[in-house]
Amino acid sequence: MASRERIKAIRNQPRTMEEKRNLRKLVDKEKSKQSRHIFELSCCTHCVNSISLAYRRSKNILSELLSSISLWQKTFKVIGGKFGTSVLSYFNFLRWLLKFNIFSFIVTFSFIIIPQFTVAGRNTLQFTGLEFFTGAGYFSDTVMYYGFYTNSTIQHGSGGASYDMQLAYIFTIAACLIICFFSLLFSMARYFRNNFINPHIYSRGITKLVFCWDFTITHERAVKLKQKNLSTELRENLSEIRQENVRLTLNQQLTRLSIHLAAWVVSTGVATTCCVAVYYLAVNNSEFLQSHRNPGSVLLLPFVVSCINLAVPRFYSMFSLVEHYEIPRQEVYVLLIRNIVLKISIIGILCYYWLSIVALAGEECWETLIGQDIYRLLLMDFVFSLADSFLGEFLRRIIGMQFITSLGLQEFDIARNVLELIYAQTLVWIGTFFCPLLPFIQMITLFIMFYVKNISLMMNFQPPSKAWRASQMMTFFIFLLFFPSFTGVLCTLATTIWRLKPSADCGPFRGLPFFIHSIYSWIDTLSKRPGYLWVVWIYRNLIGSVHFFFILTLIVLIITYLYWQITEGRKIMIRLLHEQIINEGKDKMFLIEKLTKLQDTEKRANPSSFTLERSDVEEPDPLHVREYEGARELRFRRSVQENNPNA
């Protein structure tokens, strides 16, 4: 065999991983003996084979290492086996956001916080402990907020390298956002390709679930967990096939349509009322803070917003009692859309309050004030989430198990919990410009929330009553995170950088008319140096050109349309091939029935010839006859002895 065929054949063997490795070593050893006797490899071929083998081994080692250090891998298997992929999708999304924030913190800590530490002075403010709740006081004069950073060029020694803090600050934030943008884009594309290209294949991997087994699993507990996972996946696949065959009458469709329309009207009215209340409170927040000097008064706005974010999604979840969606995925999608409209509207009102009222109020350092507001919103949201998990969900379990047993245990609300993550991540992206340590704070909160939600899930919830696959949920989650969450963040920060004037006495951009003028000054400096004229040309003709972005957007839209058409064509082709397979099966059944009828007709027409032919075929030789008679006599003797032991 060739090398690839040999590796493929060994990989397909029903053996353990250790046996496969020993078999590969043995085959390679025999192959090397044959190669020495048959021909001598050239030096170039030998080097290519060695490099290829080393590459495969290093790739396998790296993949095994990454899988071994993957966060919460064992916990994910337990959750997936007990609650299915629908609940597991929430924890997958949480882990995905945690990786995002770890990367953002590493970038900001390396290029913004560490350089500032080298020139930071001593903090003279007194630490009281109240700063953990308000974010003000002692924390205002630390690297936590925008106002603490210097606007000078950092240089140690007369001949040392210089570090421009203005450029470092704006380029680091821009790099984080650009990398997040492409990560979201590629993640959406990958999940879309895996989950939406072939959504109508009716096999859905049933063959893999029923007839395949991972022979590398040898531990008893791991085997039981794998069996539970396979059972849950089978129930999800069969449930989805059953739900696709549900057909409603015209009256049922009209009734459900009217119920859905009424639910949307009520949910929209509730969201509008909440947004008006937040807007009124935000506009009058400055006057309230001036009349109340209590340090805890700054928590009023975050408290009201967190109460709305906790109560209204639960009110939306009660609509499922009257809407009765047949497909659970549709119910989750509708709840997600209603909640995202509420939360993004509240964030939009808060952004308007920060950029139109706080930034223009003439405060000494309005960027730090916005950073403190966002910190308090995140902290209050985290506290409410913990209280809801430890108290709300626990009390619901006690009521359902002890007092009102007809309620039973509740099911995990995927839409509400996912929107809490999206809401918090949106605030982190907005606040990173004003509070560079927010990714680190969000990283800690996500890490804690995983264990809190996992414990609450195992204690207070039951598996979904309707099993359903959630293969497409991650795609929808990331899409909601991209639009309207991330696109709204880009619009907010673009308005801040291009339209607002920085504070005159704090921050790295103090003294500039706009934040973007730091880039303009840098480009003017580079234009005077002949070696950097190519950078100036790229900025003026590409980055700073409206026509370039118009053409780029047009090209992206054309490519997106072409890929969409290719996807639709593949879906049609898959459906046609599936119908062809079904028709071929029907043709085979038809031919088998015709052949059976033809054989029956010939049998009735010539019974004597058929009997003679059968006797010729089935006539045994004398040796077989004697063996048959001996075996029959032996069975007779055994039966007699069993009935009469004295015989």
Side-chain angles (χ1 to χ4, degrees), residues 265-305:
V265 170
V266 173
S267 63
T268 306
V270 171
T272 304
T273 304
C274 294
C275 292
V276 170
V278 172
Y279 174 77
Y280 177 80
L281 183 61
V283 169
N284 296 279
N285 188 49
S286 300
E287 298 178 0
F288 175 78
L289 294 178
Q290 290 177 2
S291 59
H292 296 77
R293 295 296 180 179
N294 186 7
S297 59
V298 295
L299 297 175
L300 177 62
L301 180 61
F303 179 80
V304 173
V305 172

Side-chain angles (χ1 to χ4, degrees), residues 323-334:
E323 288 186 293
H324 299 298
Y325 286 96
E326 288 294 334
I327 301 177
R329 188 188 299 111
Q330 291 181 355
E331 180 181 348
V332 175
Y333 286 162
V334 170

Side-chain angles (χ1 to χ4, degrees), residues 109-121:
F109 185 77
S110 302
F111 296 100
I112 298 179
I113 299 174
I114 290 180
Q116 181 62 32
F117 267 130
T118 60
V119 296

Side-chain angles (χ1 to χ4, degrees), residues 162-220:
S162 59
Y163 193 82
D164 194 331
M165 201 63 193
Q166 287 184 353
L167 297 178
Y169 199 96
I170 196 168
F171 280 146
T172 301
I173 302 298
C176 286
L177 294 175
I178 291 172
I179 293 173
C180 288
F181 173 80
F182 285 107
S183 298
L184 287 170
L185 210 59
F186 286 124
S187 298
M188 277 196 301
R190 185 177 74 252
Y191 284 110
F192 180 82
R193 183 177 65 250
N194 294 337
N195 301 322
F196 279 90
I197 297 296
N198 303 333
H200 300 296
I201 297 179
Y202 286 84
S203 63
R204 289 183 175 87
I206 293 292
T207 305
K208 182 179 178 181
L209 290 175
V210 178
F211 302 107
C212 295
W213 180 257
D214 189 358
F215 287 92
T216 60
I217 301 175
T218 56
H219 195 268
E220 182 179 359

Side-chain angles (χ1 to χ4, degrees), residues 39-245:
F39 61 95
E40 290 291 335
L41 288 173
S42 63
C43 180
C44 182
T45 308
H46 182 71
C47 290
V48 170
N49 290 337
S50 300
I51 293 172
S52 177
L53 182 62
Y55 171 74
R56 287 198 302 270
R57 288 179 178 175
S58 61
K59 185 179 179 181
N60 293 333
I61 292 172
L62 183 62
S63 62
E64 292 178 1
L65 180 64
L66 290 176
S67 62
S68 63
I69 64 176
S70 182
L71 279 172
W72 308 310
Q73 197 67 28
K74 186 178 179 181
T75 308
F76 276 35
K77 292 181 180 179
V78 174
I79 295 172
K82 187 174 181 179
F83 294 91
T85 56
S86 57
V87 178
L88 183 62
S89 62
Y90 164 78
F91 291 92
N92 271 320
F93 187 59
L94 189 150
R95 182 175 65 176
W96 191 79
L97 287 179
L98 178 62
K99 295 177 181 178
F100 242 86
N101 287 279
I102 290 174
F103 168 78
S104 299
F105 168 68
I106 291 174
V107 173
T108 54
F109 185 77
S110 302
F111 296 100
I112 298 179
I113 299 174
I114 290 180
Q116 181 62 32
F117 267 130
T118 60
V119 296
R122 187 173 178 272
N123 194 343
T124 58
L125 298 177
Q126 184 180 2
F127 182 76
T128 60
L130 192 63
E131 290 84 355
F132 285 113
F133 300 98
T134 62
Y138 182 84
F139 287 161
S140 301
D141 199 18
T142 61
V143 292
M144 187 171 178
Y145 294 115
Y146 163 92
F148 182 73
Y149 291 85
T150 181
N151 65 334
S152 60
T153 300
I154 300 174
Q155 186 175 7
H156 296 281
S158 58
S162 59
Y163 193 82
D164 194 331
M165 201 63 193
Q166 287 184 353
L167 297 178
Y169 199 96
I170 196 168
F171 280 146
T172 301
I173 302 298
C176 286
L177 294 175
I178 291 172
I179 293 173
C180 288
F181 173 80
F182 285 107
S183 298
L184 287 170
L185 210 59
F186 286 124
S187 298
M188 277 196 301
R190 185 177 74 252
Y191 284 110
F192 180 82
R193 183 177 65 250
N194 294 337
N195 301 322
F196 279 90
I197 297 296
N198 303 333
H200 300 296
I201 297 179
Y202 286 84
S203 63
R204 289 183 175 87
I206 293 292
T207 305
K208 182 179 178 181
L209 290 175
V210 178
F211 302 107
C212 295
W213 180 257
D214 189 358
F215 287 92
T216 60
I217 301 175
T218 56
H219 195 268
E220 182 179 359
R221 186 176 179 184
V223 169
K224 292 182 179 179
L225 188 59
K226 183 67 175 179
Q227 291 173 347
K228 203 169 185 179
N229 277 319
L230 291 176
S231 173
T232 305
E233 289 187 40
L234 280 172
R235 287 192 295 108
E236 290 175 350
N237 282 278
L238 295 175
S239 175
E240 187 165 344
I241 294 173
R242 192 183 305 114
Q243 289 162 3
E244 289 178 354
N245 298 325

Side-chain angles (χ1 to χ4, degrees), residues 471-516:
S471 58
Q472 299 171 357
M473 292 301 294
M474 274 296 291
T475 312
F476 194 67
F477 295 163
I478 297 175
F479 175 75
L480 289 179
L481 192 65
F482 181 79
F483 180 84
S485 175
F486 187 75
T487 51
V489 171
L490 293 181
C491 295
T492 303
L493 293 180
T495 304
T496 304
I497 293 172
W498 266 272
R499 295 297 179 88
L500 297 181
K501 182 179 180 180
S503 298
D505 300 324
C506 68
F509 302 98
R510 68 189 75 175
L512 296 178
F514 298 103
F515 293 94
I516 194 62

Side-chain angles (χ1 to χ4, degrees), residues 8 37 41 45 59 92 244 373 396 436 469 553 562 570 594 625 639:
K8 187 176 180 181
H37 293 293
L41 288 173
T45 308
K59 185 179 179 181
N92 271 320
E244 289 178 354
D373 281 345
R396 171 63 176 81
R469 285 193 316 144
T553 305
L562 290 177
R570 287 178 179 175
K594 284 291 185 182
V625 171
S639 63

